[in-house]
Amino acid sequence: MPTAAAVIIGNEILTGKFADENGPYLIRRLRTLGTDLRRLVTISDDLDAIASEVRRCSEAFDLVFTTGGVGPTHDDVTLEGVARAFGRSLVVEPRLVALMEAYGVVPDEMTLRMARVPEGTVLEESQASSYPILRCENVWIFPGVPKLLQMKFEALAQRFAGDAVLTDRLYVTARETEIAVPLAEIAARFPNVDIGSYPRFGEGDYRVIVTLESRDPEALRQAVHALRGTLPLREASKPV
Amino acid sequence: MPTAAAVIIGNEILTGKFADENGPYLIRRLRTLGTDLRRLVTISDDLDAIASEVRRCSEAFDLVFTTGGVGPTHDDVTLEGVARAFGRSLVVEPRLVALMEAYGVVPDEMTLRMARVPEGTVLEESQASSYPILRCENVWIFPGVPKLLQMKFEALAQRFAGDAVLTDRLYVTARETEIAVPLAEIAARFPNVDIGSYPRFGEGDYRVIVTLESRDPEALRQAVHALRGTLPLREASKPV
């Protein structure tokens, strides 16, 4: 089952100038693709921060997605950061220069930075655009503009797919402190089922939402059965 | 100027079961408090992930905020993760046991985990609640439930305050590739002003939003003046 990390690059998110749309999008899409997003990190346009985060994610996860910092301006340092993560040089990719020129971009010291990629970068073609997505090892380098990211991600989505995750949830009327012991016992009995417990205050006729998820339908069914036999539930506990 | 990092702990965010409300809240509040949020990380309920992220953030930033994972259930492992981050033992804090009992919580193997804190943890009192916020070194350990987090954060907010940041933004009618060179020159001339460039597509009568921010009002004014004299702007470029 592929694991993934997303690295959202941009001061504008951390300073609240723009709300992050890319993190929530990747959470949702990777979920429906059945790929486990394990880490979502928002960092500033800082070379060292990018390099160290990308290196760490690349080692720990199957897929790494970066968003942002790939334009021509001074605050676009993602390509340089990825190069540093892998200890590689930046090299001018002539096919990117040609594509930029075809888009009417005049090559100058700044715009050429968009074509200066980490050595060994693969140009991944898709239906989305004649301009490819750059991939360096397992790091997929996406633009930060949400519409562009989404268009390009959708065109490549099957490359990132895993197995579907099945879920259920129960609405518990007791307090979390009252169910922690039996919940822990059942969680230990079903290691293939991820059981989460989330207290809620003033939301309705329940005090805790217990969620279950698994890629094993029979284990999920048995865990739900065990919890239903143990926890005090409100009447209509419905699936997600 | 204090720097900060936020560590959002919870599978439920990464799997899209619940939208993250705590990250956006901390972004907004730290911004108005004038404190620089440099890193926002969402990780799963995993001991090693928590320990390594907390250790790294604690070393790199003045303030670290964790949210989530402090309840009594099996998926609440934040206190153990923070202890591991600092290489400390967990010790039962009798004042927390007494407070839990006062809330009507029966001490058992699971609920007592809420009172087992990293050695040297400080109980930070506030007006928000008789139940304190736990702090281990520069790591402030907040609950994950958004309402509780916000109530407790507000009560302690002045402890986290820095200096106000001044901002402005300009709406540029040229493409980003056409302004990158002069923008880089002006950004280099004003090192105390953080200048960001964000391409936008189909949003209105502009193609790029250029943002400026600084704690130095005169530097900000001069940088805005320089950009206004250089970039093609739409008519009504208004302050944020």
Side-chain angles (χ1 to χ4, degrees):
Chain A
M1 197 49 44
T3 59
V7 184
I8 311 294
I9 298 162
N11 296 346
E12 73 275 20
I13 306 298
L14 292 171
T15 55
K17 284 199 279 282
F18 299 98
D20 178 27
E21 297 176 49
N22 294 333
Y25 166 79
L26 289 171
I27 286 174
R28 196 170 60 246
R29 278 306 272 128
L30 290 169
R31 181 66 174 176
T32 55
L33 286 167
T35 296
D36 286 338
L37 180 65
R38 296 278 176 86
R39 183 175 178 84
L40 170 66
V41 182
T42 306
I43 52 179
S44 52
D45 306 307
D46 176 83
L47 263 183
D48 287 331
I50 297 168
S52 90
E53 188 60 41
V54 165
R55 184 172 50 243
R56 152 194 272 227
C57 287
S58 173
E59 285 167 5
F61 306 103
D62 299 318
L63 293 162
V64 181
F65 305 102
T66 72
T67 77
V70 291
T73 55
H74 61 285
D75 54 347
D76 291 308
V77 294
T78 296
L79 292 175
E80 199 175 341
V82 174
R84 190 177 292 190
F86 292 110
R88 299 192 184 171
S89 321
L90 288 168
V91 292
V92 172
E93 170 55 68
R95 282 177 293 167
L96 293 180
V97 178
L99 280 166
M100 283 165 45
E101 288 177 330
Y103 281 107
V105 174
V106 178
D108 61 32
E109 56 167 317
M110 296 304 286
T111 52
L112 276 178
R113 296 164 66 242
M114 291 195 288
R116 212 168 277 137
V117 303
E119 223 171 348
T121 292
V122 175
L123 277 55
E124 296 279 359
E125 307 289 344
S126 80
Q127 304 290 334
S129 160
S130 57
Y131 203 88
I133 280 294
L134 305 182
R135 175 174 65 78
C136 187
E137 300 295 337
N138 59 343
V139 179
W140 296 75
I141 302 167
F142 280 92
V145 178
K147 281 180 197 174
L148 289 185
L149 160 67
Q150 293 176 23
M151 189 179 71
K152 287 167 181 282
F153 187 94
E154 293 305 332
L156 292 160
Q158 285 318 309
R159 302 277 299 269
F160 312 136
D163 285 346
V165 179
L166 305 165
T167 66
D168 204 343
R169 58 170 68 188
L170 302 169
Y171 295 82
V172 178
T173 55
R175 296 201 293 183
E176 205 180 32
T177 49
E178 296 163 337
I179 64 167
V181 170
L183 201 59
E185 287 165 5
I186 291 172
R189 268 171 52 201
F190 296 97
N192 293 337
V193 182
D194 183 29
I195 299 178
S197 173
Y198 308 102
R200 283 297 179 265
F201 300 97
E203 270 190 15
D205 54 349
Y206 53 90
R207 284 170 159 167
V208 181
I209 298 175
V210 171
T211 64
L212 302 94
E213 51 181 79
S214 180
R215 290 188 167 87
D216 177 343
E218 181 55 21
L220 181 71
R221 197 193 62 73
Q222 287 182 18
V224 169
H225 182 75
L227 289 173
R228 282 190 181 279
T230 306
L231 305 180
L233 304 179
R234 75 165 192 193
E235 285 308 301
S237 280
K238 60 198 169 198
V240 182
Chain B
M1 198 49 46
T3 59
V7 183
I8 311 294
I9 297 162
N11 295 347
E12 72 276 20
I13 306 298
L14 291 171
T15 55
K17 283 198 280 282
F18 299 99
D20 178 28
E21 297 176 48
N22 295 334
Y25 167 79
L26 289 171
I27 285 174
R28 196 170 60 245
R29 278 306 272 130
L30 290 169
R31 181 67 175 178
T32 55
L33 286 166
T35 295
D36 286 337
L37 180 65
R38 296 278 174 86
R39 183 176 177 84
L40 170 65
V41 182
T42 306
I43 52 179
S44 52
D45 307 307
D46 176 85
L47 263 182
D48 287 332
I50 297 168
S52 91
E53 187 61 41
V54 166
R55 183 172 51 244
R56 152 194 270 225
C57 287
S58 173
E59 286 167 4
F61 305 103
D62 299 318
L63 294 162
V64 181
F65 304 102
T66 71
T67 76
V70 292
T73 54
H74 61 284
D75 54 347
D76 291 308
V77 295
T78 296
L79 292 174
E80 199 176 340
V82 173
R84 189 177 294 190
F86 292 111
R88 298 193 185 172
S89 321
L90 288 168
V91 291
V92 172
E93 170 55 69
R95 282 176 294 167
L96 294 180
V97 178
L99 281 165
M100 283 165 45
E101 288 177 329
Y103 282 107
V105 174
V106 178
D108 61 32
E109 55 168 319
M110 296 305 286
T111 52
L112 276 178
R113 296 164 66 242
M114 292 195 289
R116 212 167 276 138
V117 303
E119 224 170 349
T121 292
V122 175
L123 278 54
E124 296 279 359
E125 306 289 344
S126 80
Q127 304 289 334
S129 159
S130 58
Y131 203 89
I133 280 294
L134 306 181
R135 175 174 64 77
C136 186
E137 301 294 337
N138 59 343
V139 179
W140 296 75
I141 302 166
F142 280 92
V145 178
K147 281 180 196 173
L148 289 185
L149 159 67
Q150 294 175 23
M151 188 178 73
K152 287 168 180 279
F153 187 95
E154 292 305 331
L156 292 159
Q158 285 318 308
R159 303 277 298 269
F160 313 135
D163 284 347
V165 178
L166 305 164
T167 66
D168 205 343
R169 60 170 66 186
L170 302 169
Y171 294 82
V172 179
T173 55
R175 295 200 295 184
E176 205 180 32
T177 50
E178 296 163 336
I179 63 167
V181 170
L183 202 58
E185 286 165 5
I186 291 172
R189 267 171 54 201
F190 296 97
N192 293 337
V193 182
D194 182 30
I195 299 179
S197 174
Y198 307 102
R200 283 296 178 266
F201 300 97
E203 269 190 16
D205 54 349
Y206 53 89
R207 284 171 159 163
V208 181
I209 298 175
V210 170
T211 64
L212 301 94
E213 50 181 80
S214 180
R215 290 187 167 89
D216 177 343
E218 181 55 21
L220 181 71
R221 197 193 61 74
Q222 288 182 20
V224 170
H225 182 75
L227 289 173
R228 283 190 180 279
T230 307
L231 305 180
L233 303 180
R234 76 165 191 192
E235 286 307 299
S237 281
K238 60 197 171 199
V240 182

